[in-house]
Amino acid sequence: MREILLVSISGPDRPGISAALTSALAAHQVNILDVSQAVIHDQLSLGLVIETGGEDDSARLMRAVLFQAHALGLQARFTPISADSYNQWVAGNGRSRYILTLLARKVTAEHLAAITALIADQGLNIDGLQRLSGRVPLEGEAAQSKACVEFSVRGEPRDVQAMRVACMSLTSELGIDVAFQKDNAFRRNRRLVCFDMDSTLIEHEVIDELAKAAGVGEQVAAITERAMQGELDFTQSFEARVALLKGLDASVLEGIAQSLKLTEGAEHLMRTLKVLGYKTAILSGGFTYFGEHLQRRLGIDYVHANALEVVDGKVTGRVTGRVVDGQRKAELLREIAASEGVNLEQVIAVGDGANDLPMLSIAGLGIAFRAKPLVRANAKQAISTLGLDAILYLLGVRDRDIELG
Protein backbone atom coordinates (compact mmCIF):
# COMPACT_ATOMS: atom_id res chain seq x y z
CA MET A 1 0.00 0.00 0.00
CA ARG A 2 1.39 3.39 -1.01
CA GLU A 3 2.38 5.88 1.70
CA ILE A 4 2.48 9.66 1.89
CA LEU A 5 5.29 11.37 3.83
CA LEU A 6 6.24 14.94 4.63
CA VAL A 7 10.02 15.25 4.40
CA SER A 8 11.40 18.27 6.29
CA ILE A 9 15.03 19.31 5.81
CA SER A 10 16.76 22.14 7.67
CA GLY A 11 20.25 23.47 8.23
CA PRO A 12 23.00 25.65 6.72
CA ASP A 13 22.40 26.44 3.05
CA ARG A 14 24.92 26.19 0.22
CA PRO A 15 24.83 25.40 -3.51
CA GLY A 16 24.02 21.80 -4.46
CA ILE A 17 21.95 20.78 -1.42
CA SER A 18 18.62 20.50 -3.23
CA ALA A 19 20.27 18.60 -6.09
CA ALA A 20 21.84 16.07 -3.70
CA LEU A 21 18.65 15.48 -1.72
CA THR A 22 16.36 15.16 -4.72
CA SER A 23 18.84 12.76 -6.33
CA ALA A 24 18.51 10.55 -3.25
CA LEU A 25 14.73 10.66 -3.67
CA ALA A 26 14.94 9.99 -7.42
CA ALA A 27 16.74 6.69 -6.79
CA HIS A 28 13.54 5.45 -5.12
CA GLN A 29 11.08 6.60 -7.80
CA VAL A 30 8.82 8.61 -5.54
CA ASN A 31 6.13 11.04 -6.68
CA ILE A 32 6.45 14.66 -5.52
CA LEU A 33 3.03 15.91 -4.40
CA ASP A 34 4.16 19.28 -3.04
CA VAL A 35 7.43 21.13 -2.48
CA SER A 36 8.46 24.39 -0.82
CA GLN A 37 11.82 25.92 0.05
CA ALA A 38 12.90 29.04 1.89
CA VAL A 39 16.26 30.44 2.95
CA ILE A 40 16.66 33.08 5.64
CA HIS A 41 20.09 34.29 6.70
CA ASP A 42 21.74 31.29 4.98
CA GLN A 43 19.55 28.78 6.81
CA LEU A 44 17.60 26.37 4.61
CA SER A 45 14.10 25.07 5.22
CA LEU A 46 12.99 22.54 2.58
CA GLY A 47 9.75 20.59 2.66
CA LEU A 48 8.47 17.89 0.29
CA VAL A 49 5.28 15.88 0.37
CA ILE A 50 6.05 12.58 -1.35
CA GLU A 51 4.24 9.39 -2.29
CA THR A 52 6.14 6.09 -1.92
CA GLY A 53 5.39 2.51 -2.94
CA GLY A 54 4.74 1.35 0.64
CA GLU A 55 6.39 0.72 4.01
CA ASP A 56 9.46 -1.02 2.62
CA ASP A 57 10.06 1.70 0.05
CA SER A 58 9.57 4.36 2.72
CA ALA A 59 12.09 2.71 5.05
CA ARG A 60 14.76 2.48 2.35
CA LEU A 61 14.09 6.03 1.22
CA MET A 62 14.32 7.43 4.77
CA ARG A 63 17.66 5.71 5.33
CA ALA A 64 19.03 7.16 2.08
CA VAL A 65 17.80 10.68 2.86
CA LEU A 66 19.08 10.56 6.45
CA PHE A 67 22.50 9.44 5.20
CA GLN A 68 22.62 12.23 2.61
CA ALA A 69 21.39 14.85 5.06
CA HIS A 70 24.01 13.84 7.63
CA ALA A 71 26.74 14.09 5.01
CA LEU A 72 25.55 17.63 4.21
CA GLY A 73 25.31 18.72 7.86
CA LEU A 74 21.51 18.93 7.78
CA GLN A 75 18.63 17.63 9.88
CA ALA A 76 15.89 15.50 8.30
CA ARG A 77 12.48 14.72 9.73
CA PHE A 78 9.72 12.47 8.32
CA THR A 79 6.02 12.83 9.12
CA PRO A 80 3.44 10.29 7.85
CA ILE A 81 0.32 11.83 6.30
CA SER A 82 -2.95 9.88 6.21
CA ALA A 83 -4.94 9.63 3.00
CA ASP A 84 -7.87 11.44 4.64
CA SER A 85 -5.63 14.30 5.77
CA TYR A 86 -4.06 14.57 2.33
CA ASN A 87 -7.43 14.56 0.55
CA GLN A 88 -8.70 17.25 2.90
CA TRP A 89 -5.61 19.34 2.07
CA VAL A 90 -6.21 18.87 -1.67
CA ALA A 91 -9.86 19.94 -1.27
CA GLY A 92 -8.69 23.16 0.38
CA ASN A 93 -6.73 24.13 -2.73
CA GLY A 94 -9.82 25.85 -4.16
CA ARG A 95 -10.34 28.09 -1.14
CA SER A 96 -10.06 31.85 -1.59
CA ARG A 97 -6.62 33.37 -1.32
CA TYR A 98 -5.73 36.89 -0.29
CA ILE A 99 -2.60 38.98 -0.08
CA LEU A 100 -2.04 41.14 2.98
CA THR A 101 0.79 43.67 2.61
CA LEU A 102 2.47 45.39 5.56
CA LEU A 103 4.18 48.71 4.76
CA ALA A 104 6.33 50.61 7.24
CA ARG A 105 9.55 52.58 7.56
CA LYS A 106 10.85 49.71 9.69
CA VAL A 107 9.08 46.43 10.55
CA THR A 108 8.98 45.52 14.24
CA ALA A 109 7.85 42.46 16.16
CA GLU A 110 4.87 44.51 17.37
CA HIS A 111 3.78 45.03 13.75
CA LEU A 112 3.99 41.31 12.94
CA ALA A 113 2.17 40.39 16.14
CA ALA A 114 -0.68 42.77 15.31
CA ILE A 115 -0.98 41.55 11.71
CA THR A 116 -0.84 37.84 12.54
CA ALA A 117 -3.43 38.34 15.31
CA LEU A 118 -5.72 40.09 12.83
CA ILE A 119 -5.32 37.23 10.35
CA ALA A 120 -6.08 34.65 13.06
CA ASP A 121 -9.12 36.59 14.32
CA GLN A 122 -10.59 36.45 10.82
CA GLY A 123 -10.16 32.67 10.61
CA LEU A 124 -7.53 32.87 7.88
CA ASN A 125 -4.46 30.69 7.55
CA ILE A 126 -1.02 31.98 6.54
CA ASP A 127 0.33 29.95 3.63
CA GLY A 128 3.52 31.95 3.30
CA LEU A 129 5.18 35.28 3.95
CA GLN A 130 8.10 37.05 2.36
CA ARG A 131 9.99 40.31 2.59
CA LEU A 132 9.60 42.39 -0.59
CA SER A 133 11.83 45.26 0.52
CA GLY A 134 15.63 45.12 0.41
CA ARG A 135 17.82 43.87 3.22
CA VAL A 136 18.10 46.27 6.14
CA PRO A 137 21.59 47.56 7.08
CA LEU A 138 22.43 47.86 10.78
CA GLU A 139 23.90 51.32 10.31
CA GLY A 140 23.49 54.21 7.93
CA GLU A 141 19.75 53.71 7.53
CA ALA A 142 18.21 56.26 5.15
CA ALA A 143 15.74 58.78 6.50
CA GLN A 144 13.23 57.63 3.90
CA SER A 145 13.73 53.92 4.48
CA LYS A 146 11.00 51.49 3.47
CA ALA A 147 10.07 48.01 4.57
CA CYS A 148 7.46 45.57 3.31
CA VAL A 149 6.34 42.11 4.31
CA GLU A 150 3.79 40.24 2.19
CA PHE A 151 1.49 37.59 3.70
CA SER A 152 -0.24 35.01 1.51
CA VAL A 153 -3.36 33.85 3.35
CA ARG A 154 -5.99 31.25 2.59
CA GLY A 155 -9.67 31.08 3.50
CA GLU A 156 -12.57 33.51 3.63
CA PRO A 157 -12.56 36.37 6.17
CA ARG A 158 -15.36 36.21 8.70
CA ASP A 159 -16.15 39.88 8.02
CA VAL A 160 -14.29 41.65 5.19
CA GLN A 161 -15.51 45.11 6.18
CA ALA A 162 -14.52 44.57 9.81
CA MET A 163 -11.10 43.44 8.62
CA ARG A 164 -10.62 46.59 6.53
CA VAL A 165 -11.65 48.73 9.53
CA ALA A 166 -9.13 46.85 11.67
CA CYS A 167 -6.42 47.48 9.07
CA MET A 168 -7.17 51.21 9.20
CA SER A 169 -7.04 51.13 13.00
CA LEU A 170 -3.58 49.55 12.89
CA THR A 171 -2.48 52.35 10.58
CA SER A 172 -3.47 54.93 13.18
CA GLU A 173 -2.16 53.01 16.19
CA LEU A 174 1.17 51.76 14.84
CA GLY A 175 2.05 54.15 12.02
CA ILE A 176 1.96 51.45 9.36
CA ASP A 177 -0.11 50.73 6.25
CA VAL A 178 -1.91 47.44 5.72
CA ALA A 179 -3.34 46.48 2.32
CA PHE A 180 -5.69 43.52 1.86
CA GLN A 181 -6.35 42.25 -1.67
CA LYS A 182 -7.88 39.26 -3.39
CA ASP A 183 -5.06 37.16 -4.83
CA ASN A 184 -6.13 36.60 -8.43
CA ALA A 185 -4.82 36.90 -11.97
CA PHE A 186 -5.78 40.60 -12.18
CA ARG A 187 -3.56 41.51 -9.24
CA ARG A 188 -0.55 40.16 -11.11
CA ASN A 189 -1.54 41.67 -14.45
CA ARG A 190 -2.32 45.36 -13.95
CA ARG A 191 -1.63 47.41 -17.08
CA LEU A 192 -2.67 51.04 -16.55
CA VAL A 193 -2.05 53.46 -13.67
CA CYS A 194 -4.01 56.74 -13.44
CA PHE A 195 -2.75 59.43 -11.07
CA ASP A 196 -4.18 62.56 -9.61
CA MET A 197 -1.54 65.28 -9.86
CA ASP A 198 -1.74 67.82 -7.03
CA SER A 199 -0.71 66.41 -3.63
CA THR A 200 -0.26 63.00 -5.28
CA LEU A 201 2.42 63.10 -7.98
CA ILE A 202 3.64 66.42 -6.63
CA GLU A 203 3.69 67.79 -3.11
CA HIS A 204 1.83 70.97 -4.06
CA GLU A 205 -1.67 72.18 -4.86
CA VAL A 206 -0.71 74.18 -7.94
CA ILE A 207 -3.73 76.46 -7.76
CA ASP A 208 -2.53 77.52 -4.30
CA GLU A 209 0.90 78.36 -5.75
CA LEU A 210 -0.73 80.42 -8.49
CA ALA A 211 -2.90 82.16 -5.92
CA LYS A 212 0.14 83.15 -3.86
CA ALA A 213 1.66 84.72 -6.96
CA ALA A 214 -1.63 86.55 -7.57
CA GLY A 215 -1.83 87.80 -3.99
CA VAL A 216 -4.96 85.78 -3.13
CA GLY A 217 -3.29 82.80 -1.47
CA GLU A 218 -5.30 82.61 1.74
CA GLN A 219 -8.68 82.88 0.02
CA VAL A 220 -7.91 80.18 -2.53
CA ALA A 221 -6.22 77.82 -0.04
CA ALA A 222 -9.29 77.89 2.20
CA ILE A 223 -11.59 76.97 -0.69
CA THR A 224 -9.17 74.26 -1.88
CA GLU A 225 -9.07 72.57 1.51
CA ARG A 226 -12.86 72.53 1.84
CA ALA A 227 -13.21 71.09 -1.66
CA MET A 228 -10.65 68.30 -1.04
CA GLN A 229 -12.42 67.42 2.21
CA GLY A 230 -15.63 66.99 0.24
CA GLU A 231 -17.37 69.94 1.92
CA LEU A 232 -17.88 71.85 -1.35
CA ASP A 233 -18.93 70.90 -4.87
CA PHE A 234 -15.68 70.59 -6.79
CA THR A 235 -16.71 72.34 -10.00
CA GLN A 236 -18.24 75.36 -8.29
CA SER A 237 -15.33 75.71 -5.89
CA PHE A 238 -12.85 75.26 -8.75
CA GLU A 239 -14.45 78.00 -10.83
CA ALA A 240 -14.50 80.30 -7.80
CA ARG A 241 -10.79 79.74 -7.17
CA VAL A 242 -9.80 80.19 -10.80
CA ALA A 243 -11.78 83.45 -10.95
CA LEU A 244 -9.56 84.83 -8.20
CA LEU A 245 -6.54 84.37 -10.49
CA LYS A 246 -7.80 86.92 -13.02
CA GLY A 247 -5.05 89.28 -14.11
CA LEU A 248 -2.13 87.04 -13.10
CA ASP A 249 0.80 87.41 -15.48
CA ALA A 250 1.13 84.11 -17.42
CA SER A 251 4.92 84.33 -17.24
CA VAL A 252 4.82 83.03 -13.66
CA LEU A 253 3.53 79.62 -14.80
CA GLU A 254 6.93 78.46 -16.05
CA GLY A 255 8.66 79.39 -12.80
CA ILE A 256 6.09 77.48 -10.76
CA ALA A 257 6.36 74.46 -13.07
CA GLN A 258 10.14 74.36 -12.67
CA SER A 259 9.88 74.56 -8.88
CA LEU A 260 7.39 71.71 -8.45
CA LYS A 261 8.64 69.07 -6.02
CA LEU A 262 7.85 65.48 -6.88
CA THR A 263 6.36 63.29 -4.19
CA GLU A 264 8.71 60.80 -2.52
CA GLY A 265 9.13 57.74 -4.73
CA ALA A 266 7.45 59.23 -7.81
CA GLU A 267 10.45 59.04 -10.14
CA HIS A 268 11.38 55.51 -9.07
CA LEU A 269 7.78 54.38 -9.50
CA MET A 270 7.45 55.88 -12.98
CA ARG A 271 10.74 54.42 -14.19
CA THR A 272 9.79 50.99 -12.91
CA LEU A 273 6.29 51.09 -14.39
CA LYS A 274 7.78 52.03 -17.74
CA VAL A 275 10.23 49.11 -17.62
CA LEU A 276 7.37 46.76 -16.72
CA GLY A 277 5.31 47.95 -19.70
CA TYR A 278 2.57 49.86 -17.87
CA LYS A 279 0.71 52.79 -19.40
CA THR A 280 0.39 55.86 -17.15
CA ALA A 281 -1.98 58.81 -17.06
CA ILE A 282 -2.52 62.05 -15.17
CA LEU A 283 -6.21 62.72 -14.53
CA SER A 284 -6.21 66.02 -12.71
CA GLY A 285 -8.55 68.71 -11.54
CA GLY A 286 -5.50 70.98 -11.84
CA PHE A 287 -4.08 72.53 -14.96
CA THR A 288 -2.88 71.06 -18.26
CA TYR A 289 0.19 73.31 -18.36
CA PHE A 290 1.65 71.63 -15.28
CA GLY A 291 0.44 68.16 -16.22
CA GLU A 292 2.26 68.40 -19.54
CA HIS A 293 5.39 69.59 -17.73
CA LEU A 294 5.28 66.39 -15.61
CA GLN A 295 4.52 64.35 -18.71
CA ARG A 296 7.79 65.44 -20.29
CA ARG A 297 9.70 64.98 -17.05
CA LEU A 298 8.37 61.54 -16.14
CA GLY A 299 7.43 60.03 -19.51
CA ILE A 300 3.71 59.82 -18.77
CA ASP A 301 1.50 58.58 -21.61
CA TYR A 302 -1.73 60.55 -21.10
CA VAL A 303 -2.59 63.92 -19.53
CA HIS A 304 -6.12 65.19 -18.95
CA ALA A 305 -6.56 68.36 -16.90
CA ASN A 306 -8.02 71.88 -17.19
CA ALA A 307 -6.73 74.38 -19.75
CA LEU A 308 -6.16 77.70 -18.02
CA GLU A 309 -7.30 80.49 -20.36
CA VAL A 310 -4.68 83.14 -21.12
CA VAL A 311 -5.35 86.28 -23.20
CA ASP A 312 -2.69 88.90 -23.98
CA GLY A 313 -0.31 87.27 -21.52
CA LYS A 314 -2.77 87.43 -18.63
CA VAL A 315 -4.83 84.74 -16.92
CA THR A 316 -8.52 85.50 -17.53
CA GLY A 317 -9.86 83.68 -14.48
CA ARG A 318 -11.51 81.00 -16.64
CA VAL A 319 -10.69 77.58 -18.05
CA THR A 320 -11.60 76.34 -21.49
CA GLY A 321 -13.53 73.15 -22.10
CA ARG A 322 -15.22 70.85 -19.62
CA VAL A 323 -13.92 70.96 -16.06
CA VAL A 324 -12.18 67.74 -15.01
CA ASP A 325 -14.12 66.95 -11.85
CA GLY A 326 -14.55 63.60 -10.11
CA GLN A 327 -17.06 62.17 -12.58
CA ARG A 328 -14.95 63.30 -15.53
CA LYS A 329 -11.90 61.56 -14.05
CA ALA A 330 -13.86 58.29 -13.89
CA GLU A 331 -15.04 58.75 -17.48
CA LEU A 332 -11.51 59.42 -18.69
CA LEU A 333 -10.19 56.38 -16.85
CA ARG A 334 -12.79 54.23 -18.64
CA GLU A 335 -11.96 55.80 -22.00
CA ILE A 336 -8.20 55.26 -21.67
CA ALA A 337 -8.69 51.68 -20.47
CA ALA A 338 -10.93 50.97 -23.47
CA SER A 339 -8.47 52.54 -25.92
CA GLU A 340 -5.66 50.41 -24.45
CA GLY A 341 -7.77 47.26 -24.43
CA VAL A 342 -7.45 46.97 -20.65
CA ASN A 343 -10.06 45.53 -18.29
CA LEU A 344 -11.01 47.89 -15.44
CA GLU A 345 -9.75 45.24 -13.01
CA GLN A 346 -6.30 45.82 -14.52
CA VAL A 347 -6.39 49.56 -13.77
CA ILE A 348 -4.82 51.26 -10.75
CA ALA A 349 -6.08 54.69 -9.69
CA VAL A 350 -4.21 56.86 -7.18
CA GLY A 351 -5.43 60.08 -5.56
CA ASP A 352 -5.85 62.02 -2.35
CA GLY A 353 -9.00 64.14 -2.64
CA ALA A 354 -12.75 63.64 -2.58
CA ASN A 355 -12.87 64.32 -6.33
CA ASP A 356 -10.70 61.21 -6.82
CA LEU A 357 -13.19 58.83 -5.23
CA PRO A 358 -15.17 58.10 -8.42
CA MET A 359 -12.08 56.86 -10.28
CA LEU A 360 -10.73 55.05 -7.19
CA SER A 361 -14.04 53.18 -6.88
CA ILE A 362 -14.11 51.79 -10.44
CA ALA A 363 -10.43 50.84 -10.73
CA GLY A 364 -9.40 47.29 -9.89
CA LEU A 365 -6.96 48.77 -7.37
CA GLY A 366 -7.95 52.17 -5.96
CA ILE A 367 -5.33 53.71 -3.68
CA ALA A 368 -5.86 56.69 -1.40
CA PHE A 369 -2.38 58.20 -1.18
CA ARG A 370 -1.63 60.39 1.86
CA ALA A 371 -5.29 61.19 1.58
CA LYS A 372 -7.95 63.07 3.45
CA PRO A 373 -9.89 61.02 6.09
CA LEU A 374 -13.01 60.87 3.91
CA VAL A 375 -11.01 59.43 1.02
CA ARG A 376 -9.11 56.91 3.16
CA ALA A 377 -12.37 55.65 4.63
CA ASN A 378 -13.90 55.04 1.19
CA ALA A 379 -10.93 53.79 -0.86
CA LYS A 380 -10.09 50.11 -1.32
CA GLN A 381 -6.49 50.64 -0.20
CA ALA A 382 -4.51 53.45 1.40
CA ILE A 383 -0.84 54.39 1.64
CA SER A 384 0.25 57.08 4.06
CA THR A 385 3.48 55.81 5.61
CA LEU A 386 5.73 55.42 2.55
CA GLY A 387 6.23 57.15 -0.79
CA LEU A 388 4.49 56.54 -4.10
CA ASP A 389 6.80 53.68 -5.05
CA ALA A 390 5.22 51.62 -2.25
CA ILE A 391 2.54 50.93 -4.87
CA LEU A 392 5.00 48.47 -6.40
CA TYR A 393 4.77 46.33 -3.27
CA LEU A 394 1.00 46.05 -3.71
CA LEU A 395 1.75 44.56 -7.14
CA GLY A 396 4.12 42.03 -5.59
CA VAL A 397 7.25 43.67 -7.03
CA ARG A 398 10.31 43.14 -4.87
CA ASP A 399 13.17 45.63 -4.54
CA ARG A 400 15.55 43.11 -6.06
CA ASP A 401 13.34 42.36 -9.08
CA ILE A 402 14.43 45.43 -11.02
CA GLU A 403 17.60 47.39 -10.41
CA LEU A 404 17.10 50.86 -11.86
CA GLY A 405 19.68 52.80 -9.89
Side-chain angles (χ1 to χ4, degrees):
M1 182 177 178
R2 302 185 71 80
E3 285 194 332
I4 301 173
L5 294 173
L6 169 61
V7 182
S8 303
I9 307 290
S10 61
D13 187 42
R14 62 179 180 275
I17 285 179
S18 296
L21 291 168
T22 52
S23 293
L25 293 174
H28 296 270
Q29 298 182 332
V30 302
N31 293 323
I32 305 297
L33 304 178
D34 194 19
V35 60
S36 180
Q37 178 174 312
V39 176
I40 183 166
H41 201 65
D42 296 328
Q43 291 296 304
L44 169 74
S45 177
L46 171 64
L48 303 102
V49 177
I50 64 173
E51 182 185 31
T52 74
E55 290 184 9
D56 291 341
D57 285 348
S58 295
R60 287 191 293 270
L61 176 147
M62 285 190 283
R63 283 195 296 271
V65 172
L66 283 168
F67 179 82
Q68 187 64 265
H70 178 75
L72 294 168
L74 304 170
Q75 286 86 46
R77 189 173 71 244
F78 304 90
T79 307
I81 298 175
S82 69
D84 287 344
S85 175
Y86 179 77
N87 289 331
Q88 187 177 29
W89 175 77
V90 170
N93 191 53
R95 296 177 70 191
S96 297
R97 292 178 181 273
Y98 292 87
I99 295 294
L100 190 148
T101 311
L102 163 63
L103 303 170
R105 291 296 179 184
K106 179 184 289 187
V107 173
T108 70
E110 183 182 17
H111 298 159
L112 292 183
I115 296 299
T116 52
L118 172 61
I119 292 170
D121 288 345
Q122 286 293 324
L124 300 170
N125 189 65
I126 299 174
D127 273 350
L129 61 104
Q130 62 175 328
R131 172 178 49 82
L132 300 186
S133 50
R135 293 177 177 176
V136 181
L138 291 177
E139 297 179 1
E141 185 177 344
Q144 292 185 326
S145 62
K146 54 184 181 179
C148 173
V149 176
E150 179 186 272
F151 298 77
S152 175
V153 300
R154 179 166 36 89
E156 201 60 54
R158 294 192 176 102
D159 187 332
V160 173
Q161 185 55 34
M163 185 163 186
R164 294 197 184 280
V165 170
C167 288
M168 290 185 65
S169 297
L170 290 180
T171 297
S172 302
E173 295 167 12
L174 301 178
I176 61 177
D177 289 314
V178 184
F180 184 66
Q181 309 175 64
K182 189 87 171 179
D183 187 14
N184 54 28
F186 290 123
R187 174 186 175 258
R188 297 182 292 275
N189 290 281
R190 311 289 187 191
R191 286 292 174 264
L192 169 66
V193 190
C194 298
F195 297 91
D196 174 45
M197 181 172 66
D198 297 55
S199 297
T200 300
L201 271 179
I202 56 175
E203 295 188 355
H204 316 264
E205 289 289 334
V206 170
I207 197 168
D208 292 348
E209 302 302 313
L210 292 170
K212 291 174 187 176
V216 290
E218 291 185 5
Q219 299 97 301
V220 168
I223 300 173
T224 298
E225 181 61 22
R226 293 185 65 192
M228 292 299 99
Q229 295 284 0
E231 298 175 8
L232 297 174
D233 172 79
F234 178 83
T235 300
Q236 291 178 331
S237 67
F238 178 72
E239 291 173 345
R241 287 176 287 167
V242 173
L244 291 171
L245 302 178
K246 184 177 180 179
L248 176 66
D249 196 305
S251 63
V252 306
L253 272 62
E254 177 62 20
I256 291 174
Q258 293 297 331
S259 67
L260 294 178
K261 184 179 180 182
L262 293 173
T263 300
E264 175 194 350
E267 288 184 289
H268 177 241
L269 172 63
M270 290 302 183
R271 290 198 306 269
T272 305
L273 291 175
K274 194 173 188 68
V275 169
L276 295 175
Y278 283 73
K279 294 292 184 178
T280 53
I282 289 176
L283 304 181
S284 173
F287 301 110
T288 306
Y289 183 94
F290 302 96
E292 291 177 346
H293 171 82
L294 292 175
Q295 181 178 35
R296 293 187 294 271
R297 183 174 176 181
L298 298 172
I300 292 168
D301 297 291
Y302 298 90
V303 172
H304 292 279
N306 300 295
L308 192 60
E309 186 180 69
V310 176
V311 176
D312 296 330
K314 301 289 184 181
V315 173
T316 67
R318 297 186 297 271
V319 294
T320 59
R322 181 177 171 184
V323 171
V324 179
D325 59 6
Q327 292 306 316
R328 182 58 180 154
K329 287 187 179 189
E331 291 174 12
L332 289 165
L333 183 149
R334 289 183 185 275
E335 291 173 10
I336 296 171
S339 70
E340 292 289 342
V342 171
N343 188 298
L344 286 178
E345 284 290 339
Q346 295 176 280
V347 180
I348 302 169
V350 188
D352 74 301
N355 63 318
D356 295 312
L357 281 172
M359 73 171 182
L360 298 186
S361 68
I362 65 170
L365 179 59
I367 302 171
F369 180 74
R370 298 182 181 177
K372 314 301 184 287
L374 171 70
V375 184
R376 287 181 56 83
N378 287 278
K380 296 171 186 174
Q381 310 295 345
I383 296 175
S384 297
T385 305
L386 303 183
L388 267 179
D389 53 352
I391 291 170
L392 296 170
Y393 294 140
L394 301 194
L395 307 180
V397 178
R398 299 167 298 185
D399 282 356
R400 70 174 184 266
D401 287 337
I402 297 179
E403 294 296 335
L404 295 171

